[in-house]
Each structure stands twice: as structure tokens, then as C-alpha cells.
């Protein structure tokens, strides 16, 4: 077994270590979400936490870690009357991002269940994590169907496996810990709220601290056992402190004064629901117990707010996480009444979960323009580059309607277009390829029924063969790739025009976030095009790139379209099942180089010949319009919408029409 890196040997990252330790003291806090750049010891600290947890008393031989003092009456391995008790180390179970649902919740032997009527159940990761830690690295990349399972288990403290009338239930109370790099995409709000605490981590900028990080890591890599032995005393001291804090926790008193501060803070930061209040109360009592105190102080409430509120106050993925500490201090000061003495235990006092609760408990990249508009309405060049304009601020984004690709795809699970998926409504049956995951009972019975006499059936059970089994064909939703191609040339530099364009693109980015799409951004200006953002699930990164996009120079339209063609070609090789939508934002002009208009037309026809669903946002303005964007849309095989018509209903209807046209042309 590999020796883990000692928890106490982690350099810095005080907030991360404190959040993990508070959950070790009081699992009812609800887990930790660790956000930060790669290489900041996120996974190292989480994996080291298990060694600090006290041993767990379990029923000997129970695969679900039942507590001998109060065994689960519905445990599949029960009943546990007169069972022998034992002790084992606390487990940390890792959930891989690419795990199947059966691996997470467990699997039933369908053949034995149908033929013999027995519940032959193989436990999954949720059973292994019961009364321990469930760790998800890159939790923001977890598939939606696994997120749904985690939400259900975290809410109910139990896992249910239902397969065609056969049901298994077992306890699944675990400490949920997730790590993520925000650049790779954000979490769904429902899962985000399930994490009790969140911390932001970043690499230290202090040379001495960075030197110490490298020194300790090299020493650990050379001899892990010897390195761990050097930190054994510190590890033992922290472990004993965790045990002492757990014993003190029921005696901690949460007075009315502290409760009023908690309520006032949550109200001031406009967090949704009441979970934030409950988590803050539990965190504050755990902080007091960790410090060896039986009273919750104002400083505990402040620290609890810094850990429990930042991820709950975000309204959309473009909001920067964090908390205004000056506002927090003012709120705590204003809500501090005369009743500062701790009173008797109130709701949540002592940090213990109520029976019904279960185990859980400014815009980035914004830059103001520095160039001033001239009398003719065109902005004057900003200092820093010939013909380059400072970035225009995006207009307020608006809500768009659903944009769907026609037909039925087979891409990654999402919330946009129809697709063949593992989850969704049943549309038919087929022979399974590999392991059977979703049984179509009626089709299986129909396949086996004609052969019962030949197979010598004599009892009530159905005689099944492997060839009789039928997999349920299901239809759900998939995510798509939305590739934006944005004209950033001088002809697009007018402030009002570019501001509206950015606002519309931000609106579509927000919709892509909600529907679990990948997005990419190609820009063209001057003499070439560039991939400002390769296709990614991080729409907030796309928003930041768009917000800081400068404009100016000539209009190499053909270069932008050819760059988009290259991006789509590479993405088809990487993920052939994900379908794409091309959104070209331009006034249709093409300048620079020999025959720029003809070259742009050939590039557009190249994309059109490959049946790429597309829409052109026409940004041409003024009393005289050349209709160049409309011609470009015709060559792409899509449609165009003017900038004045760039509203939610118009865009949604247009793209549906474009995709329908594309579908008919492909047919």
C-alpha cells in the first residue's frame, strides 16, 4: 500500500486544511469543495485526511459498514442481530470521473433475479464510502447522471437500486469532498449547494514557501516511509485533537446572539434557501470545538461565513466567487445585539444533524474602454497599437430559448438535443453489447417465451439464456459544441455595436453552461484568425476572453472561417459523436489580401458542404446596407439575423429554422 503524504506536512493552504479538519470534527457540516489551479496540493491534502480520522466501529463481515450500536434494519447483509463488532480505519473512496452508474451504486445480477428470484447484489462505491469519505477529483467533469445519483444519496443518506421490480436499499452516509479546476468548467448549482464548505487555493508567490514545498516533495518521493515517520508525532497530535473536538462537540452552545448573526449574514448576502444558515451554524460549533471552547463566538461566525457562503452567492457562471469581507464585518457588527451570552442549545446546537437532514449539511475579465468616441460615432484609436481599439464592455446578457440540433444524436450527456443515452425514456429494445445495464423486461420475456418447452421448463421460473436478454434503448439529451466565430476587425469597432454583439454572445454562453455544452471562440482581425479559446466546458473562461477582446485592423473573413473549419475537424476526431453549431458574428465584409470576398465565399461553401449547422449574426449598421452577411449565410447553408433583431425569440427561432434547413439538406 502506498504511504500517503502526511497531512501536517502540507505547506500553507491554511483555509483548505481548516475546512477539511472541521468536517473531520463534524461530518454534518456537509463536505468540502476545493477550487483552484492545478498543482496546488488539492488532491494531496484530501487523500491525507483519511489518516487523521478515528477508527470506525462496524459489524464484522458487513459489506455496508453497519454500526453495531444501531445496525441498518434494511441492510442487504442483515439482519445483524447478535452480530460481532469490529473496528477498522476510516475509508476514503475515490469516484473516477468516467465511472459507470453501476460502479457507483452497485449492480444486480439480472439473470439470477429473474430466473431464481434472489437479490444477488454487488455493492458499489456508495456502499464502500458509507461512514467514510467519498472523494471526487475533477468533480466538475462528472457526468450528469452520476451527479443526480450523488444528489439523491447526499439528500437521503441512502442509496436505492431499482431494476424492473427488484429493489435494494442500503445506508450511504459519507463525507463528500470534491476538487476542481474552474478553468475546466463549473458545477451544476444543485451539486454546488450540496457541499457544505468551499475554499479557493492558489500556489504561493513567496519564494521561501515555494522552496519548502519543493524540498518536502522531493524528500517524500525519495523515501515515502521515512518522510512519513518524520511527521508521525505531528500527525498523532492532530488525530488526538480531532478526537477531543468530537467529544466536545455535543457540549458546544450556540447562543441566540450567534444565531442572529448567522441569519443576518445569510440574508445580507442573499443566499438561496436555508441550507446556508444550517451549514454556518454547524461550522461555527465545529470551529469552537476545534479550538477547545464550549461557546460559539463572533469570530467563529465570521470564519464560518467565509467558508460556507462564497459558492452560494453566485447567480450565474460569470460571477466571480468570493465574499466582500468589509460587508461581512459591517453585517456582523450591526447584528451583534446585547444578548451576546451563549444561551441553551437552539436549533442545530451542538452541531448535530437532525434526523430529517441527513449527512449533508464581479464579473471576470471586465475592462473599461479607454478610447473616446469621435463626433462621427466611431471610436478613436487607443494607445498601444496602430488601429487597435480598447475592449468594449458587453451589454447585459439576456435569456435565450433552447437551441436544438435536429435528429437523434449519440453525444455526451447534456440538456440540449435529442440523443441515445443511458438515461431517459425507453424507446425500444436491442441486444446488449457487452454487460447488460438497462434490462427491457417485456422484450426479454418475449424473446424467451417461445423456447420454454424446448428448454424443459417444469417450474414457475422462466428458463433464461444469455441470448434472451434485451437492453432497453433510451432517449435523453446530449450536449453540443457551440463554436463562435467573432469578427474583431476595425469595421466592428463601433462601441454600441460591439457591446450589443458581446451581450448576445454572453447570453448564448450562459445558455450553453446551463445545457452542459462545450464552447469555443475563434476571432479574426488584422491579417489572420486565432483560436481565442479552444473548445472547452468552461464558459466563464470564454466569457472572460470575449470581454477582453480588442478590435481593429482589416477583416480576414476567410481566415476566420477556415480556422473554424480546422477546429471542427479536430473536434470531430476527438469526439465524433458530439454535434456542432457554428455561430458567425460579422458584418459580412472581407478585406485584405487578393480577392478577399471570393476567398471568403469558398471557405463558407466548404463548411456548407459538410452540413455544419450555422447561423450568421449580421452586424452591419447604417442607412445603406450591402447584405453581405446574408450572402455569407446562403453560402454556409444557414440563415442570417440582423443586429437589430438580435433578441432571444428571434435568435432561438432562427437557429431552429437553420438547423431544420440543414437537416432537410442533409437528407
Amino acid at each position: 500500500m502506498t504511504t500517503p503524504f502526511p497531512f501536517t506536512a502540507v505547506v500553507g493552504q491554511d483555509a483548505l486544511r481548516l475546512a477539511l479538519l472541521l468536517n473531520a470534527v463534524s461530518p454534518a457540516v456537509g463536505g468540502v469543495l476545493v477550487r483552484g489551479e492545478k498543482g496546488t496540493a488539492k488532491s494531496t491534502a484530501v487523500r491525507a485526511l483519511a489518516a487523521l480520522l478515528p477508527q470506525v466501529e462496524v459489524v464484522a463481515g458487513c459489506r455496508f459498514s453497519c454500526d453495531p450500536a444501531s445496525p441498518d434494519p434494511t441492510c442487504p447483509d442483515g439482519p445483524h442481530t447478535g452480530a460481532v463488532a469490529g473496528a477498522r480505519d476510516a475509508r476514503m473512496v475515490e469516484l473516477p470521473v468516467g465511472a459507470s452508474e453501476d460502479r457507483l451504486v452497485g449492480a444486480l445480477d439480472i439473470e439470477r433475479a429473474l430466473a431464481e428470484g434472489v437479490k444477488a447484489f454487488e455493492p458499489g462505491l456508495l456502499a464502500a464510502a458509507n461512514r467514510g469519505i467519498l472523494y471526487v477529483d475533477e468533480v466538475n467533469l462528472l457526468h450528469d447522471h452520476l451527479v443526480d445519483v450523488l444528489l439523491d444519496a447526499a439528500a437521503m443518506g441512502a442509496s436505492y437500486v431499482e431494476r424492473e421490480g427488484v429493489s435494494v436499499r442500503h445506508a450511504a452516509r459519507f463525507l463528500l469532498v470534491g476538487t476542481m479546476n474552474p478553468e475546466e468548467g463549473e458545477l451544476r448549482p444543485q451539486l454546488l449547494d450540496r457541499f457544505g464548505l468551499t475554499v479557493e487555493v492558489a500556489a504561493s508567490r513567496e519564494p521561501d514557501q515555494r522552496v519548502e514545498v519543493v524540498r518536502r516533495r522531493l524528500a517524500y518521493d525519495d523515501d515515502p516511509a521515512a518522510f512519513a515517520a518524520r511527521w508521525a508525532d505531528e500527525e498523532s497530535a492532530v488525530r488526538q485533537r480531532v478526537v477531543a473536538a468530537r467529544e466536545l462537540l455535543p457540549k458546544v452552545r450556540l447562543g441566540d446572539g450567534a444565531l442572529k448573526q448567522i441569519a443576518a449574514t445569510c440574508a445580507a448576502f442573499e443566499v438561496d434557501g436555508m441550507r446556508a444558515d444550517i451549514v454556518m451554524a454547524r461550522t461555527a460549533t465545529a470551529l469552537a470545538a476545534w479550538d477547545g471552547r464550549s461557546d460559539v463566538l463572533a469570530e467563529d461566525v465570521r470564519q464560518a461565513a467565509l467558508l460556507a457562503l462564497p459558492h452560494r452567492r453566485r447567480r450565474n457562471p460569470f460571477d466571480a466567487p468570493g465574499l466582500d469581507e468589509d460587508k461581512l464585518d459591517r453585517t456582523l457588527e450591526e447584528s451583534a445585539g446585547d444578548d451576546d451570552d451563549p444561551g441553551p442549545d437552539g436549533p442545530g446546537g451542538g452541531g448535530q444533524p437532525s434526523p430529517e437532514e441527513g449527512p449533508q449539511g464581479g464579473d471576470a475579465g471586465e475592462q473599461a474602454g479607454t478610447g473616446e468616441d469621435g463626433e462621427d460615432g466611431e471610436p478613436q484609436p487607443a494607445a498601444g497599437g496602430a488601429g487597435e481599439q480598447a475592449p468594449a464592455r458587453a451589454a447585459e446578457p439576456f435569456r435565450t430559448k433552447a437551441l436544438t440540433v435536429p435528429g437523434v444524436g449519440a453525444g455526451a450527456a447534456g440538456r440540449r438535443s435529442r440523443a441515445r443515452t443511458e438515461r431517459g425514456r425507453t424507446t425500444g429494445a436491442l441486444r446488449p453489447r457487452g454487460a447488460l445495464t438497462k434490462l427491457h423486461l417485456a422484450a426479454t420475456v418475449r424473446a424467451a417465451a417461445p423456447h420454454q418447452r424446448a428448454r424443459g421448463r417444469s417450474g414457475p421460473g422462466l428458463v433464461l439464456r444469455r441470448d434472451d436478454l434485451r437492453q432497453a434503448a433510451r432517449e435523453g439529451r446530449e450536449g453540443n459544441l457551440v463554436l463562435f466565430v467573432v469578427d474583431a476587425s476595425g469595421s466592428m469597432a463601433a462601441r454600441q455595436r460591439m457591446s450589443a454583439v458581446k451581450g448576445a454572445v454572453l447570453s448564448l454562453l450562459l445558455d450553453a453552461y446551463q445545457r452542459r455544452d462545450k464552447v469555443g471562440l475563434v476571432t479574426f482581425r488584422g491579417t489572420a484568425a486565432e483560436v481565442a479559446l479552444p473548445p472547452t466546458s468552461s464558459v466563464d473562461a470564454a466569457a472572460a476572453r470575449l470581454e477582453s477582446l480588442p478590435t481593429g485592423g482589416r477583416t480576414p473573413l476567410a481566415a476566420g472561417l477556415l480556422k473554424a473549419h480546422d477546429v471542427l475537424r479536430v473536434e470531430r476526431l476527438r469526439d465524433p459523436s458530439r454535434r456542432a453549431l457554428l455561430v458567425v458574428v460579422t458584418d459580412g465584409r472581407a478585406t485584405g489580401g487578393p480577392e478577399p470576398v471570393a476567398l471568403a465565399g469558398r471557405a463558407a461553401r466548404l463548411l456548407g458542404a459538410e452540413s455544419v449547422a450555422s447561423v450568421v449574426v449580421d452586424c452591419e449598421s447604417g442607412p445603406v446596407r450591402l447584405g453581405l452577411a446574408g450572402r455569407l449565410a446562403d453560402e454556409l447553408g444557414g440563415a442570417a439575423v440582423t443586429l437589430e433583431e438580435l433578441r432571444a425569440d428571434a435568435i432561438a427561432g432562427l437557429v431552429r429554422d437553420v438547423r431544420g434547413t440543414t437537416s432537410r439538406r442533409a437528407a
Side-chain angles (χ1 to χ4, degrees):
M1 181 177 178
T2 304
T3 303
F5 192 92
F7 186 87
T8 52
V10 175
V11 178
Q13 308 296 9
D14 295 338
L16 168 59
R17 293 192 295 171
L18 177 61
L20 292 172
L21 288 170
L22 292 177
N23 275 274
V25 171
S26 176
V29 166
V32 186
L33 174 64
V34 187
R35 298 164 45 94
E37 59 195 24
K38 52 186 176 294
T40 50
K42 301 188 297 293
S43 299
T44 299
V46 172
R47 292 188 174 102
L49 177 66
L52 302 179
L53 299 180
Q55 285 195 321
V56 179
E57 293 288 332
V58 297
V59 173
C62 178
R63 298 174 296 170
F64 303 88
S65 303
C66 280
D67 185 350
S70 57
D72 182 2
T74 63
C75 176
D77 284 356
H80 294 306
T81 305
V84 178
R88 62 162 175 79
D89 293 336
R91 291 175 181 165
M92 191 196 72
V93 178
E94 293 196 40
L95 171 60
V97 170
S100 66
E101 184 178 343
D102 285 345
R103 183 72 184 98
L104 178 60
V105 303
L108 287 169
D109 188 331
I110 300 296
E111 295 180 58
R112 290 191 63 193
L114 286 175
E116 304 174 28
V118 297
K119 296 180 181 179
F121 181 68
E122 183 65 28
L125 296 178
L126 289 180
N130 187 35
R131 304 179 66 202
I133 302 172
L134 182 62
Y135 171 48
V136 189
D137 192 14
E138 306 294 351
V139 64
N140 51 324
L141 303 182
L142 200 63
H143 288 300
D144 275 0
H145 67 284
L146 297 183
V147 170
D148 294 336
V149 172
L150 280 181
L151 289 175
D152 290 342
M156 298 182 292
S159 175
Y160 293 85
V161 183
E162 303 285 347
R163 292 289 167 83
E164 304 294 348
V166 181
S167 175
V168 173
R169 176 204 175 277
H170 65 82
R173 297 180 180 272
F174 49 83
L175 172 60
L176 182 61
V177 181
T179 55
M180 60 174 284
N181 184 347
E183 293 180 355
E184 297 172 341
E186 286 292 344
L187 277 175
R188 280 172 52 185
Q190 296 92 331
L191 182 58
L192 190 64
D193 189 51
R194 287 294 178 185
F195 287 97
L197 310 179
T198 185
V199 290
E200 296 278 339
V201 296
S204 173
R205 299 297 183 258
E206 294 294 330
D208 291 343
Q209 196 171 66
R210 295 176 73 96
V211 167
E212 186 61 23
V213 170
V214 174
R215 181 181 291 117
R216 293 186 186 182
R217 186 69 212 189
L218 292 177
Y220 171 78
D221 290 341
D222 288 341
D223 192 342
F227 183 82
R230 285 169 45 193
W231 292 88
D233 292 342
E234 288 83 351
E235 292 281 287
S236 177
V238 173
R239 191 179 300 109
Q240 292 174 8
R241 187 175 176 184
V242 169
V243 173
R246 282 192 171 190
E247 294 175 352
L248 178 60
L249 186 65
K251 305 173 185 176
V252 175
R253 294 172 294 178
L254 184 63
D256 289 342
L259 278 173
K260 290 178 181 178
Q261 286 186 313
I262 290 171
T265 301
C266 292
F269 285 98
E270 300 179 344
V271 296
D272 296 330
M274 293 297 298
R275 183 173 287 117
D277 303 63
I278 296 170
V279 171
M280 275 190 64
R282 290 170 173 166
T283 304
T285 55
L287 280 162
W290 176 248
D291 287 341
R293 291 182 278 103
S294 59
D295 300 329
V296 173
L297 306 180
E299 62 192 57
D300 299 323
V301 176
R302 185 182 191 279
Q303 183 63 58
L306 293 175
L307 293 172
L309 297 187
H311 61 303
R312 291 187 165 90
R313 58 166 294 275
R314 301 185 74 189
R315 290 296 180 264
N316 65 62
F318 309 140
D319 290 339
L323 215 60
D324 185 340
E325 295 194 32
D326 291 336
K327 179 179 179 180
L328 174 60
D329 291 335
R330 289 195 303 270
T331 302
L332 292 175
E333 183 177 352
E334 292 169 359
S335 59
D338 297 330
D339 183 15
D340 290 332
D341 295 330
D345 293 349
Q352 299 303 310
S354 58
E356 65 274 12
E357 283 294 326
Q360 83 283 346
D363 295 340
E366 181 179 309
Q367 300 184 23
T370 56
E372 296 294 334
D373 289 351
E375 293 182 0
D376 59 355
E378 292 293 326
Q380 300 300 312
E388 180 174 311
Q389 308 295 335
R393 182 174 181 177
E396 189 70 20
F398 49 83
R399 188 173 183 84
T400 65
K401 292 183 179 178
L403 316 177
T404 59
V405 176
V408 180
R415 291 173 172 262
R416 185 174 296 279
S417 305
R418 294 171 56 199
R420 293 180 294 274
T421 63
E422 287 293 318
R423 297 174 64 85
R425 63 187 183 91
T426 300
T427 59
L430 45 83
R431 291 180 182 273
R433 296 180 179 178
L436 178 71
T437 56
K438 301 291 183 182
L439 178 74
H440 194 295
L441 181 58
T444 298
V445 172
R446 285 197 300 269
H451 309 291
Q452 295 306 295
R453 180 176 297 178
R455 293 173 184 175
R457 172 183 170 183
S458 58
L462 194 65
V463 180
L464 284 177
R465 302 281 172 81
R466 173 68 185 176
D467 290 342
D468 299 330
L469 299 179
R470 295 294 182 268
Q471 178 87 13
R474 298 178 181 245
E475 185 179 295
R477 293 283 170 176
E478 68 175 358
N480 298 118
L481 167 61
V482 182
L483 181 62
F484 295 94
V485 180
V486 180
D487 184 349
S489 65
S491 63
M492 294 283 291
R495 295 287 177 161
Q496 186 176 2
R497 196 167 10 147
M498 201 62 193
S499 176
V501 167
K502 287 186 176 182
V505 177
L506 283 176
S507 302
L508 293 173
L509 284 172
L510 180 58
D511 183 68
Y513 162 75
Q514 294 168 342
R515 299 184 185 282
R516 310 296 284 178
D517 291 321
K518 290 180 69 174
V519 296
L521 178 62
V522 172
T523 65
F524 57 96
R525 58 185 290 269
T527 60
E530 66 170 344
V531 180
L533 184 72
T536 176
S537 298
S538 179
V539 295
D540 50 345
R545 301 289 176 88
L546 180 73
E547 191 74 20
S548 59
L549 179 67
T551 57
R554 293 181 180 272
T555 311
L557 176 57
L561 296 176
L562 291 174
K563 182 67 71 174
H565 180 270
D566 291 341
V567 171
L568 293 176
R569 178 179 56 81
V570 172
E571 285 302 304
R572 278 195 295 269
L573 294 174
R574 289 177 176 171
D575 189 357
S577 61
R578 188 182 291 269
R579 297 180 288 171
L581 168 67
L582 182 68
V583 179
V584 183
V585 185
T586 180
D587 56 9
R589 297 171 187 259
T591 60
E595 300 183 347
V597 176
L599 187 59
R602 288 197 294 271
R605 288 191 292 275
L606 175 63
L607 286 163
E610 297 183 358
S611 299
V612 176
S614 60
V615 57
V616 177
V617 179
D618 184 359
C619 301
E620 191 176 20
S621 61
V624 179
R625 304 193 180 190
L626 304 177
L628 299 176
R631 278 185 246 164
L632 176 64
D634 290 339
E635 291 171 322
L636 284 168
V641 57
T642 64
L643 189 61
E644 290 79 4
E645 298 168 342
L646 201 58
R647 301 303 307 165
D649 293 342
I651 295 176
L654 170 74
V655 175
R656 283 197 298 269
D657 292 342
V658 169
R659 290 177 170 178
T661 301
T662 302
S663 177
R664 290 192 297 272
R665 182 183 60 197

